[in-house]
Amino acid sequence: MKLGIIGLPNSGKTSLFDALTRQQIETPAYPGQIGEETHVGVIKVPDGRIDRLSEIFRPKKTTYADVTCMDITGAARGISSGRQKAAVMSEVWDVDALIHVVRAFEDPAVVHPDGEIDPAGDAAALELELIFSDLELVETRLERIANDMKKGVGKHLESEQAVLEKCRALLDEEKPLRNLQLSDEEKALVGSLQFASIKPELVVLNVGEDEIGSDRTAEIISGLNDFYQGKEAQVLPLSARIEMELSQLPPEEAEMFLADLGIGEPAMNRVIREAYTLLGLISFLTAGADEVRAWTIRRGTPAVKAAGKIHSDIERGFIRAEVIAYDDFIAAGDMARAKELGTLRLEGKDYLVQDGDIINFRFNV
Ligand code: GDP
């Protein structure tokens, strides 16, 4: 699973990327050159259940779920043509969901590409880039279909044409394709087109360190919410600079820093959780003396496929899954007691794995 961070230059993308991936990539105050390298990193998905299970099982190894993250540095206003666009869009196409960073922080030392802090305006500008790029794709494809039809070889393309017309109508209204409810069949028809505005999106408002919870911030959020109304995107405020600093402190110091700020947990944890939800992902857990581990799957995955996440042999030789919900396990205290209580149960191949299921697969190869 891959997340891509987009936003105008100097909005705080790299700061957020550093915070998410606990890296320390430099964040220059002058916007980088378009086409500069994209940073790629891995986000460990924070999970209190894994922490707790590790305390109980004291395993040799603890492994959190992870998500790949790309800092797409070249996405800027006015890129909707030419080579820059091709470079940036190919990165956007490659990710499963977008985190769009919008700048609210004021700092004369950090140049804004338009010289003025305008969160709703900036957000709208970048959303339009995605929409225009998709519109171009749709129109090019529609023209080609029309030509084929003229030549009498395009009869089979009628249903694709119908879906594309739906897409065009929406894009013409400057709405993203993620708003469109398409059936699986319709999706397949346009699946080869690399749409950008169809990606699920989380909007992160990057506010100044002393502006968290301020009236100005509330006003900006309300403006952004107005813009995003009906566009299927969620707005989350945070200070990328604080998050970056937090991510680089040793755990005890980070806790003290959080307490000083009066915050319970880093906003980063929420960003990661929201992104996970946005992608329709859940975790199932395995726990034993060797390893306590979270595994990422899509919601609605049957047990036999979940087994395949661990090893193809387990999928192939799947017999049964011993399953218990995390909360039931904690309530029972241990597996023996859970068995007595009947909360530890056996499930077959088609059982749909739930978030937080602790699973032991029985298999035979
Ligand atoms: P990018 O160009 O979108 O990747 O933005 P960066 O993360 O590189 O940030 C650009 C500059 O803004 C850097 O100098 C950051 O330190 C600074 N910056 C990021 N977030 C904040 C913030 O909340 N407050 C202030 N004052 N500066 C910030």
Side-chain angles (χ1 to χ4, degrees), residues 5-18 25-32 36 39 71-73 75 101 103-111 206-210 238-244:
I5 304 179
I6 57 168
L8 296 186
N10 271 357
S11 52
K13 295 181 296 296
T14 304
S15 307
L16 185 76
F17 174 85
D18 282 354
I25 298 200
E26 271 180 65
T27 54
Y30 288 92
E36 85 185 290
H39 312 129
D71 176 13
I72 303 177
T73 46
V101 183
R103 171 172 176 178
F105 72 88
E106 308 252 10
D107 185 344
V110 179
V111 278
N206 185 14
V207 304
E209 296 93 308
D210 43 9
L238 55 80
S239 159
R241 182 167 274 180
I242 292 183
E243 295 299 324
M244 186 173 83

mmCIF file of all heavy atoms in Angstrom, residues 5-18 25-32 36 39 71-73 75 101 103-111 206-210 238-244, ligand 1:
data_model
loop_
_atom_site.group_PDB
_atom_site.id
_atom_site.type_symbol
_atom_site.label_atom_id
_atom_site.label_comp_id
_atom_site.label_asym_id
_atom_site.label_seq_id
_atom_site.Cartn_x
_atom_site.Cartn_y
_atom_site.Cartn_z
ATOM 1 N N ILE A 5 2.307 12.056 -0.733
ATOM 2 C CA ILE A 5 2.071 13.383 -0.161
ATOM 3 C C ILE A 5 2.200 14.412 -1.272
ATOM 4 O O ILE A 5 3.222 14.470 -1.962
ATOM 5 C CB ILE A 5 3.088 13.702 0.947
ATOM 6 C CG1 ILE A 5 3.060 12.610 2.019
ATOM 7 C CG2 ILE A 5 2.799 15.067 1.554
ATOM 8 C CD1 ILE A 5 4.064 12.836 3.136
ATOM 9 N N ILE A 6 1.140 15.200 -1.467
ATOM 10 C CA ILE A 6 1.190 16.265 -2.470
ATOM 11 C C ILE A 6 0.892 17.595 -1.795
ATOM 12 O O ILE A 6 0.376 17.641 -0.675
ATOM 13 C CB ILE A 6 0.191 16.035 -3.635
ATOM 14 C CG1 ILE A 6 -1.239 15.892 -3.078
ATOM 15 C CG2 ILE A 6 0.550 14.809 -4.444
ATOM 16 C CD1 ILE A 6 -2.317 15.963 -4.149
ATOM 17 N N GLY A 7 1.191 18.685 -2.476
ATOM 18 C CA GLY A 7 0.915 20.011 -1.935
ATOM 19 C C GLY A 7 1.793 21.011 -2.669
ATOM 20 O O GLY A 7 2.740 20.620 -3.350
ATOM 21 N N LEU A 8 1.471 22.294 -2.522
ATOM 22 C CA LEU A 8 2.278 23.310 -3.180
ATOM 23 C C LEU A 8 3.671 23.343 -2.543
ATOM 24 O O LEU A 8 3.852 22.862 -1.429
ATOM 25 C CB LEU A 8 1.601 24.683 -3.027
ATOM 26 C CG LEU A 8 0.244 24.845 -3.704
ATOM 27 C CD1 LEU A 8 -0.221 26.291 -3.575
ATOM 28 C CD2 LEU A 8 0.299 24.445 -5.173
ATOM 29 N N PRO A 9 4.651 23.930 -3.248
ATOM 30 C CA PRO A 9 5.979 24.048 -2.658
ATOM 31 C C PRO A 9 5.900 24.793 -1.319
ATOM 32 O O PRO A 9 5.103 25.724 -1.171
ATOM 33 C CB PRO A 9 6.752 24.891 -3.685
ATOM 34 C CG PRO A 9 6.033 24.676 -4.969
ATOM 35 C CD PRO A 9 4.588 24.471 -4.610
ATOM 36 N N ASN A 10 6.701 24.371 -0.374
ATOM 37 C CA ASN A 10 6.782 24.992 0.960
ATOM 38 C C ASN A 10 5.494 24.900 1.779
ATOM 39 O O ASN A 10 5.251 25.733 2.647
ATOM 40 C CB ASN A 10 7.215 26.465 0.856
ATOM 41 C CG ASN A 10 8.723 26.584 0.905
ATOM 42 O OD1 ASN A 10 9.419 25.580 1.066
ATOM 43 N ND2 ASN A 10 9.233 27.789 0.785
ATOM 44 N N SER A 11 4.665 23.933 1.493
ATOM 45 C CA SER A 11 3.460 23.769 2.304
ATOM 46 C C SER A 11 3.781 22.918 3.531
ATOM 47 O O SER A 11 3.050 22.949 4.522
ATOM 48 C CB SER A 11 2.345 23.119 1.482
ATOM 49 O OG SER A 11 2.801 21.933 0.874
ATOM 50 N N GLY A 12 4.871 22.160 3.474
ATOM 51 C CA GLY A 12 5.260 21.333 4.616
ATOM 52 C C GLY A 12 5.248 19.842 4.308
ATOM 53 O O GLY A 12 5.207 19.023 5.224
ATOM 54 N N LYS A 13 5.300 19.495 3.028
ATOM 55 C CA LYS A 13 5.242 18.073 2.637
ATOM 56 C C LYS A 13 6.393 17.268 3.219
ATOM 57 O O LYS A 13 6.189 16.206 3.804
ATOM 58 C CB LYS A 13 5.301 17.930 1.103
ATOM 59 C CG LYS A 13 4.129 18.519 0.373
ATOM 60 C CD LYS A 13 4.252 18.304 -1.129
ATOM 61 C CE LYS A 13 5.437 19.012 -1.746
ATOM 62 N NZ LYS A 13 5.375 20.488 -1.652
ATOM 63 N N THR A 14 7.608 17.812 3.053
ATOM 64 C CA THR A 14 8.762 17.033 3.507
ATOM 65 C C THR A 14 8.790 16.955 5.031
ATOM 66 O O THR A 14 9.153 15.918 5.590
ATOM 67 C CB THR A 14 10.071 17.640 2.944
ATOM 68 O OG1 THR A 14 9.930 17.697 1.517
ATOM 69 C CG2 THR A 14 11.272 16.773 3.277
ATOM 70 N N SER A 15 8.353 18.032 5.697
ATOM 71 C CA SER A 15 8.278 17.981 7.168
ATOM 72 C C SER A 15 7.323 16.863 7.584
ATOM 73 O O SER A 15 7.612 16.081 8.492
ATOM 74 C CB SER A 15 7.760 19.308 7.729
ATOM 75 O OG SER A 15 8.517 20.392 7.239
ATOM 76 N N LEU A 16 6.180 16.795 6.923
ATOM 77 C CA LEU A 16 5.197 15.761 7.248
ATOM 78 C C LEU A 16 5.750 14.372 6.926
ATOM 79 O O LEU A 16 5.596 13.425 7.702
ATOM 80 C CB LEU A 16 3.909 16.002 6.454
ATOM 81 C CG LEU A 16 2.763 15.053 6.806
ATOM 82 C CD1 LEU A 16 2.134 15.451 8.125
ATOM 83 C CD2 LEU A 16 1.688 15.053 5.721
ATOM 84 N N PHE A 17 6.431 14.275 5.794
ATOM 85 C CA PHE A 17 7.033 13.001 5.399
ATOM 86 C C PHE A 17 8.045 12.544 6.444
ATOM 87 O O PHE A 17 8.054 11.380 6.859
ATOM 88 C CB PHE A 17 7.718 13.170 4.035
ATOM 89 C CG PHE A 17 8.499 11.965 3.596
ATOM 90 C CD1 PHE A 17 7.867 10.916 2.943
ATOM 91 C CD2 PHE A 17 9.870 11.874 3.833
ATOM 92 C CE1 PHE A 17 8.584 9.795 2.546
ATOM 93 C CE2 PHE A 17 10.592 10.762 3.439
ATOM 94 C CZ PHE A 17 9.952 9.719 2.792
ATOM 95 N N ASP A 18 8.866 13.483 6.889
ATOM 96 C CA ASP A 18 9.861 13.156 7.920
ATOM 97 C C ASP A 18 9.169 12.653 9.186
ATOM 98 O O ASP A 18 9.603 11.693 9.810
ATOM 99 C CB ASP A 18 10.705 14.389 8.267
ATOM 100 C CG ASP A 18 11.781 14.658 7.215
ATOM 101 O OD1 ASP A 18 11.938 13.821 6.303
ATOM 102 O OD2 ASP A 18 12.456 15.695 7.306
ATOM 103 N N ILE A 25 14.957 14.174 6.348
ATOM 104 C CA ILE A 25 15.310 14.775 5.069
ATOM 105 C C ILE A 25 15.241 16.283 5.239
ATOM 106 O O ILE A 25 14.349 16.791 5.916
ATOM 107 C CB ILE A 25 14.339 14.280 3.978
ATOM 108 C CG1 ILE A 25 14.529 12.773 3.899
ATOM 109 C CG2 ILE A 25 14.553 15.010 2.663
ATOM 110 C CD1 ILE A 25 14.105 12.087 2.709
ATOM 111 N N GLU A 26 16.184 16.987 4.648
ATOM 112 C CA GLU A 26 16.218 18.438 4.828
ATOM 113 C C GLU A 26 14.970 19.106 4.267
ATOM 114 O O GLU A 26 14.421 18.657 3.261
ATOM 115 C CB GLU A 26 17.437 19.006 4.113
ATOM 116 C CG GLU A 26 18.658 19.030 5.006
ATOM 117 C CD GLU A 26 19.821 19.607 4.248
ATOM 118 O OE1 GLU A 26 19.743 20.797 3.898
ATOM 119 O OE2 GLU A 26 20.755 18.846 3.989
ATOM 120 N N THR A 27 14.552 20.186 4.940
ATOM 121 C CA THR A 27 13.370 20.915 4.472
ATOM 122 C C THR A 27 13.770 22.358 4.178
ATOM 123 O O THR A 27 13.623 23.227 5.019
ATOM 124 C CB THR A 27 12.260 20.893 5.539
ATOM 125 O OG1 THR A 27 12.823 21.382 6.765
ATOM 126 C CG2 THR A 27 11.736 19.507 5.763
ATOM 127 N N PRO A 28 14.298 22.639 2.995
ATOM 128 C CA PRO A 28 14.766 23.989 2.680
ATOM 129 C C PRO A 28 13.620 24.994 2.654
ATOM 130 O O PRO A 28 12.497 24.635 2.298
ATOM 131 C CB PRO A 28 15.389 23.841 1.292
ATOM 132 C CG PRO A 28 14.750 22.630 0.705
ATOM 133 C CD PRO A 28 14.381 21.734 1.847
ATOM 134 N N ALA A 29 13.911 26.226 3.012
ATOM 135 C CA ALA A 29 12.869 27.260 3.045
ATOM 136 C C ALA A 29 12.574 27.818 1.654
ATOM 137 O O ALA A 29 11.632 28.573 1.476
ATOM 138 C CB ALA A 29 13.273 28.383 3.987
ATOM 139 N N TYR A 30 13.402 27.453 0.659
ATOM 140 C CA TYR A 30 13.106 27.863 -0.709
ATOM 141 C C TYR A 30 12.574 26.662 -1.462
ATOM 142 O O TYR A 30 13.111 25.571 -1.328
ATOM 143 C CB TYR A 30 14.351 28.423 -1.402
ATOM 144 C CG TYR A 30 14.697 29.760 -0.835
ATOM 145 C CD1 TYR A 30 15.592 29.857 0.218
ATOM 146 C CD2 TYR A 30 14.066 30.903 -1.292
ATOM 147 C CE1 TYR A 30 15.872 31.090 0.794
ATOM 148 C CE2 TYR A 30 14.337 32.139 -0.726
ATOM 149 C CZ TYR A 30 15.242 32.225 0.318
ATOM 150 O OH TYR A 30 15.496 33.442 0.887
ATOM 151 N N PRO A 31 11.494 26.875 -2.227
ATOM 152 C CA PRO A 31 10.893 25.734 -2.900
ATOM 153 C C PRO A 31 11.918 25.026 -3.776
ATOM 154 O O PRO A 31 12.696 25.684 -4.463
ATOM 155 C CB PRO A 31 9.799 26.343 -3.757
ATOM 156 C CG PRO A 31 9.759 27.782 -3.456
ATOM 157 C CD PRO A 31 10.838 28.135 -2.520
ATOM 158 N N GLY A 32 11.898 23.713 -3.729
ATOM 159 C CA GLY A 32 12.848 22.942 -4.520
ATOM 160 C C GLY A 32 12.531 23.028 -6.002
ATOM 161 O O GLY A 32 11.464 23.485 -6.402
ATOM 162 N N GLU A 36 12.723 17.438 -8.679
ATOM 163 C CA GLU A 36 13.728 16.943 -7.742
ATOM 164 C C GLU A 36 13.261 15.577 -7.256
ATOM 165 O O GLU A 36 12.099 15.225 -7.372
ATOM 166 C CB GLU A 36 13.932 17.924 -6.582
ATOM 167 C CG GLU A 36 12.970 17.767 -5.432
ATOM 168 C CD GLU A 36 13.138 18.854 -4.373
ATOM 169 O OE1 GLU A 36 14.150 18.824 -3.686
ATOM 170 O OE2 GLU A 36 12.257 19.717 -4.252
ATOM 171 N N HIS A 39 11.056 11.424 -2.341
ATOM 172 C CA HIS A 39 11.519 10.642 -1.197
ATOM 173 C C HIS A 39 10.553 9.491 -0.954
ATOM 174 O O HIS A 39 9.350 9.677 -1.033
ATOM 175 C CB HIS A 39 11.584 11.518 0.059
ATOM 176 C CG HIS A 39 12.287 12.821 -0.162
ATOM 177 N ND1 HIS A 39 11.763 14.034 0.198
ATOM 178 C CD2 HIS A 39 13.481 13.080 -0.739
ATOM 179 C CE1 HIS A 39 12.597 14.999 -0.137
ATOM 180 N NE2 HIS A 39 13.648 14.454 -0.707
ATOM 181 N N ASP A 71 6.980 11.224 -0.876
ATOM 182 C CA ASP A 71 6.886 12.678 -0.800
ATOM 183 C C ASP A 71 7.006 13.170 -2.236
ATOM 184 O O ASP A 71 8.090 13.179 -2.810
ATOM 185 C CB ASP A 71 8.061 13.165 0.078
ATOM 186 C CG ASP A 71 8.154 14.664 0.168
ATOM 187 O OD1 ASP A 71 7.198 15.353 -0.230
ATOM 188 O OD2 ASP A 71 9.193 15.149 0.654
ATOM 189 N N ILE A 72 5.869 13.508 -2.836
ATOM 190 C CA ILE A 72 5.871 13.874 -4.257
ATOM 191 C C ILE A 72 6.146 15.365 -4.366
ATOM 192 O O ILE A 72 5.238 16.185 -4.275
ATOM 193 C CB ILE A 72 4.530 13.481 -4.929
ATOM 194 C CG1 ILE A 72 4.294 11.977 -4.727
ATOM 195 C CG2 ILE A 72 4.549 13.845 -6.415
ATOM 196 C CD1 ILE A 72 2.985 11.470 -5.279
ATOM 197 N N THR A 73 7.410 15.712 -4.546
ATOM 198 C CA THR A 73 7.816 17.103 -4.367
ATOM 199 C C THR A 73 7.447 18.015 -5.536
ATOM 200 O O THR A 73 7.362 19.214 -5.361
ATOM 201 C CB THR A 73 9.337 17.184 -4.155
ATOM 202 O OG1 THR A 73 9.946 16.352 -5.130
ATOM 203 C CG2 THR A 73 9.706 16.687 -2.784
ATOM 204 N N ALA A 75 4.655 18.395 -7.287
ATOM 205 C CA ALA A 75 3.270 18.767 -7.586
ATOM 206 C C ALA A 75 3.024 20.235 -7.270
ATOM 207 O O ALA A 75 3.000 20.636 -6.135
ATOM 208 C CB ALA A 75 2.316 17.898 -6.770
ATOM 209 N N VAL A 101 -1.163 18.302 1.550
ATOM 210 C CA VAL A 101 -0.773 19.260 2.592
ATOM 211 C C VAL A 101 -1.107 20.680 2.140
ATOM 212 O O VAL A 101 -0.709 21.104 1.053
ATOM 213 C CB VAL A 101 0.739 19.175 2.907
ATOM 214 C CG1 VAL A 101 1.102 20.130 4.038
ATOM 215 C CG2 VAL A 101 1.125 17.754 3.275
ATOM 216 N N ARG A 103 -0.953 24.730 3.309
ATOM 217 C CA ARG A 103 -0.244 25.602 4.251
ATOM 218 C C ARG A 103 -1.164 26.636 4.877
ATOM 219 O O ARG A 103 -1.885 27.351 4.177
ATOM 220 C CB ARG A 103 0.889 26.324 3.509
ATOM 221 C CG ARG A 103 1.542 27.415 4.347
ATOM 222 C CD ARG A 103 2.773 27.959 3.657
ATOM 223 N NE ARG A 103 3.339 29.067 4.420
ATOM 224 C CZ ARG A 103 4.447 29.707 4.072
ATOM 225 N NH1 ARG A 103 5.096 29.354 2.975
ATOM 226 N NH2 ARG A 103 4.901 30.698 4.808
ATOM 227 N N ALA A 104 -1.094 26.717 6.224
ATOM 228 C CA ALA A 104 -1.786 27.801 6.914
ATOM 229 C C ALA A 104 -0.778 28.624 7.713
ATOM 230 O O ALA A 104 -1.040 29.767 8.055
ATOM 231 C CB ALA A 104 -2.852 27.248 7.860
ATOM 232 N N PHE A 105 0.396 28.037 8.022
ATOM 233 C CA PHE A 105 1.345 28.740 8.900
ATOM 234 C C PHE A 105 1.905 29.984 8.208
ATOM 235 O O PHE A 105 2.115 30.010 6.997
ATOM 236 C CB PHE A 105 2.473 27.806 9.358
ATOM 237 C CG PHE A 105 3.474 27.438 8.286
ATOM 238 C CD1 PHE A 105 4.589 28.246 8.045
ATOM 239 C CD2 PHE A 105 3.313 26.287 7.532
ATOM 240 C CE1 PHE A 105 5.517 27.902 7.071
ATOM 241 C CE2 PHE A 105 4.237 25.946 6.555
ATOM 242 C CZ PHE A 105 5.334 26.755 6.312
ATOM 243 N N GLU A 106 2.096 31.021 9.011
ATOM 244 C CA GLU A 106 2.657 32.275 8.521
ATOM 245 C C GLU A 106 4.125 32.297 8.928
ATOM 246 O O GLU A 106 4.442 32.047 10.086
ATOM 247 C CB GLU A 106 1.974 33.471 9.207
ATOM 248 C CG GLU A 106 0.462 33.451 9.136
ATOM 249 C CD GLU A 106 -0.067 34.511 8.184
ATOM 250 O OE1 GLU A 106 0.751 35.104 7.462
ATOM 251 O OE2 GLU A 106 -1.296 34.720 8.171
ATOM 252 N N ASP A 107 4.998 32.585 8.004
ATOM 253 C CA ASP A 107 6.415 32.715 8.331
ATOM 254 C C ASP A 107 7.090 33.402 7.156
ATOM 255 O O ASP A 107 7.257 32.812 6.085
ATOM 256 C CB ASP A 107 7.016 31.314 8.569
ATOM 257 C CG ASP A 107 8.464 31.395 9.021
ATOM 258 O OD1 ASP A 107 9.082 32.484 8.853
ATOM 259 O OD2 ASP A 107 8.976 30.391 9.527
ATOM 260 N N PRO A 108 7.449 34.690 7.362
ATOM 261 C CA PRO A 108 8.029 35.456 6.251
ATOM 262 C C PRO A 108 9.316 34.821 5.720
ATOM 263 O O PRO A 108 9.689 35.043 4.561
ATOM 264 C CB PRO A 108 8.325 36.832 6.864
ATOM 265 C CG PRO A 108 7.886 36.783 8.277
ATOM 266 C CD PRO A 108 7.333 35.445 8.606
ATOM 267 N N ALA A 109 9.968 33.988 6.544
ATOM 268 C CA ALA A 109 11.222 33.374 6.105
ATOM 269 C C ALA A 109 10.976 32.216 5.133
ATOM 270 O O ALA A 109 11.895 31.754 4.465
ATOM 271 C CB ALA A 109 12.018 32.891 7.311
ATOM 272 N N VAL A 110 9.740 31.743 5.107
ATOM 273 C CA VAL A 110 9.426 30.620 4.211
ATOM 274 C C VAL A 110 8.546 31.147 3.079
ATOM 275 O O VAL A 110 7.369 31.464 3.295
ATOM 276 C CB VAL A 110 8.689 29.496 4.991
ATOM 277 C CG1 VAL A 110 8.352 28.350 4.055
ATOM 278 C CG2 VAL A 110 9.519 29.016 6.169
ATOM 279 N N VAL A 111 9.130 31.265 1.885
ATOM 280 C CA VAL A 111 8.374 31.884 0.786
ATOM 281 C C VAL A 111 7.163 31.048 0.393
ATOM 282 O O VAL A 111 7.196 29.817 0.388
ATOM 283 C CB VAL A 111 9.227 32.078 -0.493
ATOM 284 C CG1 VAL A 111 10.051 33.327 -0.403
ATOM 285 C CG2 VAL A 111 10.071 30.856 -0.781
ATOM 286 N N ASN A 206 -1.591 22.440 7.528
ATOM 287 C CA ASN A 206 -0.364 22.651 8.300
ATOM 288 C C ASN A 206 -0.400 24.028 8.953
ATOM 289 O O ASN A 206 -0.170 25.039 8.309
ATOM 290 C CB ASN A 206 0.843 22.508 7.375
ATOM 291 C CG ASN A 206 2.157 22.591 8.137
ATOM 292 O OD1 ASN A 206 2.178 22.504 9.371
ATOM 293 N ND2 ASN A 206 3.249 22.757 7.403
ATOM 294 N N VAL A 207 -0.702 24.037 10.266
ATOM 295 C CA VAL A 207 -0.848 25.316 10.980
ATOM 296 C C VAL A 207 0.415 25.618 11.784
ATOM 297 O O VAL A 207 1.186 24.714 12.106
ATOM 298 C CB VAL A 207 -2.088 25.308 11.912
ATOM 299 C CG1 VAL A 207 -3.342 24.982 11.132
ATOM 300 C CG2 VAL A 207 -1.910 24.316 13.048
ATOM 301 N N GLY A 208 0.612 26.885 12.097
ATOM 302 C CA GLY A 208 1.779 27.297 12.893
ATOM 303 C C GLY A 208 1.745 26.658 14.274
ATOM 304 O O GLY A 208 0.684 26.283 14.774
ATOM 305 N N GLU A 209 2.950 26.572 14.863
ATOM 306 C CA GLU A 209 3.082 25.905 16.175
ATOM 307 C C GLU A 209 2.121 26.476 17.212
ATOM 308 O O GLU A 209 1.592 25.756 18.041
ATOM 309 C CB GLU A 209 4.507 26.075 16.737
ATOM 310 C CG GLU A 209 5.592 25.427 15.928
ATOM 311 C CD GLU A 209 6.215 26.366 14.912
ATOM 312 O OE1 GLU A 209 5.439 26.982 14.135
ATOM 313 O OE2 GLU A 209 7.450 26.483 14.878
ATOM 314 N N ASP A 210 1.925 27.817 17.164
ATOM 315 C CA ASP A 210 1.090 28.450 18.199
ATOM 316 C C ASP A 210 -0.325 28.703 17.695
ATOM 317 O O ASP A 210 -1.081 29.455 18.281
ATOM 318 C CB ASP A 210 1.745 29.755 18.675
ATOM 319 C CG ASP A 210 2.281 30.552 17.496
ATOM 320 O OD1 ASP A 210 1.975 30.158 16.343
ATOM 321 O OD2 ASP A 210 2.994 31.547 17.716
ATOM 322 N N LEU A 238 -2.861 20.104 11.822
ATOM 323 C CA LEU A 238 -1.723 19.753 12.691
ATOM 324 C C LEU A 238 -0.576 20.709 12.384
ATOM 325 O O LEU A 238 -0.626 21.466 11.424
ATOM 326 C CB LEU A 238 -1.287 18.305 12.444
ATOM 327 C CG LEU A 238 -0.935 17.864 11.026
ATOM 328 C CD1 LEU A 238 0.481 18.297 10.640
ATOM 329 C CD2 LEU A 238 -1.014 16.353 10.935
ATOM 330 N N SER A 239 0.440 20.666 13.218
ATOM 331 C CA SER A 239 1.644 21.431 12.919
ATOM 332 C C SER A 239 2.733 20.458 12.495
ATOM 333 O O SER A 239 3.231 19.676 13.291
ATOM 334 C CB SER A 239 2.113 22.234 14.136
ATOM 335 O OG SER A 239 3.477 22.544 13.977
ATOM 336 N N ALA A 240 3.078 20.515 11.208
ATOM 337 C CA ALA A 240 4.074 19.574 10.674
ATOM 338 C C ALA A 240 5.400 19.760 11.386
ATOM 339 O O ALA A 240 6.135 18.808 11.606
ATOM 340 C CB ALA A 240 4.235 19.775 9.177
ATOM 341 N N ARG A 241 5.710 21.019 11.764
ATOM 342 C CA ARG A 241 6.997 21.255 12.416
ATOM 343 C C ARG A 241 7.031 20.556 13.781
ATOM 344 O O ARG A 241 8.008 19.890 14.113
ATOM 345 C CB ARG A 241 7.245 22.748 12.565
ATOM 346 C CG ARG A 241 8.575 23.028 13.179
ATOM 347 C CD ARG A 241 8.977 24.462 13.052
ATOM 348 N NE ARG A 241 9.650 24.733 11.795
ATOM 349 C CZ ARG A 241 10.105 25.951 11.472
ATOM 350 N NH1 ARG A 241 9.898 26.967 12.278
ATOM 351 N NH2 ARG A 241 10.735 26.125 10.333
ATOM 352 N N ILE A 242 5.955 20.703 14.562
ATOM 353 C CA ILE A 242 5.916 20.027 15.874
ATOM 354 C C ILE A 242 5.983 18.520 15.683
ATOM 355 O O ILE A 242 6.729 17.827 16.382
ATOM 356 C CB ILE A 242 4.625 20.388 16.652
ATOM 357 C CG1 ILE A 242 4.667 21.854 17.064
ATOM 358 C CG2 ILE A 242 4.441 19.486 17.867
ATOM 359 C CD1 ILE A 242 3.481 22.301 17.884
ATOM 360 N N GLU A 243 5.242 18.019 14.712
ATOM 361 C CA GLU A 243 5.218 16.568 14.484
ATOM 362 C C GLU A 243 6.606 16.061 14.111
ATOM 363 O O GLU A 243 7.027 14.995 14.531
ATOM 364 C CB GLU A 243 4.210 16.217 13.387
ATOM 365 C CG GLU A 243 2.767 16.514 13.749
ATOM 366 C CD GLU A 243 2.280 15.748 14.968
ATOM 367 O OE1 GLU A 243 2.683 14.589 15.148
ATOM 368 O OE2 GLU A 243 1.494 16.324 15.753
ATOM 369 N N MET A 244 7.307 16.869 13.299
ATOM 370 C CA MET A 244 8.640 16.460 12.871
ATOM 371 C C MET A 244 9.568 16.421 14.085
ATOM 372 O O MET A 244 10.318 15.469 14.273
ATOM 373 C CB MET A 244 9.164 17.436 11.821
ATOM 374 C CG MET A 244 10.470 17.025 11.226
ATOM 375 S SD MET A 244 10.919 18.103 9.857
ATOM 376 C CE MET A 244 11.640 19.459 10.734
HETATM 377 P P1 GDP B 1 7.639 21.261 1.107
HETATM 378 O O1 GDP B 1 8.311 22.166 0.129
HETATM 379 O O2 GDP B 1 6.157 21.283 0.927
HETATM 380 O O3 GDP B 1 8.201 19.887 1.186
HETATM 381 O O4 GDP B 1 7.839 21.943 2.547
HETATM 382 P P2 GDP B 1 8.930 21.624 3.663
HETATM 383 O O5 GDP B 1 8.453 20.566 4.566
HETATM 384 O O6 GDP B 1 10.269 21.462 3.003
HETATM 385 O O7 GDP B 1 8.875 22.987 4.477
HETATM 386 C C1 GDP B 1 9.305 24.200 3.886
HETATM 387 C C2 GDP B 1 9.787 25.126 4.977
HETATM 388 O O8 GDP B 1 8.713 25.455 5.839
HETATM 389 C C3 GDP B 1 10.850 24.502 5.867
HETATM 390 O O9 GDP B 1 11.813 25.496 6.176
HETATM 391 C C4 GDP B 1 10.078 24.098 7.095
HETATM 392 O O10 GDP B 1 10.891 24.084 8.250
HETATM 393 C C5 GDP B 1 9.049 25.194 7.176
HETATM 394 N N1 GDP B 1 7.848 24.786 7.901
HETATM 395 C C6 GDP B 1 7.118 23.651 7.755
HETATM 396 N N2 GDP B 1 6.100 23.637 8.646
HETATM 397 C C7 GDP B 1 6.189 24.783 9.356
HETATM 398 C C8 GDP B 1 5.431 25.357 10.420
HETATM 399 O O11 GDP B 1 4.446 24.783 10.916
HETATM 400 N N3 GDP B 1 5.844 26.594 10.880
HETATM 401 C C9 GDP B 1 6.914 27.236 10.359
HETATM 402 N N4 GDP B 1 7.253 28.412 10.849
HETATM 403 N N5 GDP B 1 7.649 26.720 9.375
HETATM 404 C C10 GDP B 1 7.300 25.515 8.874
#
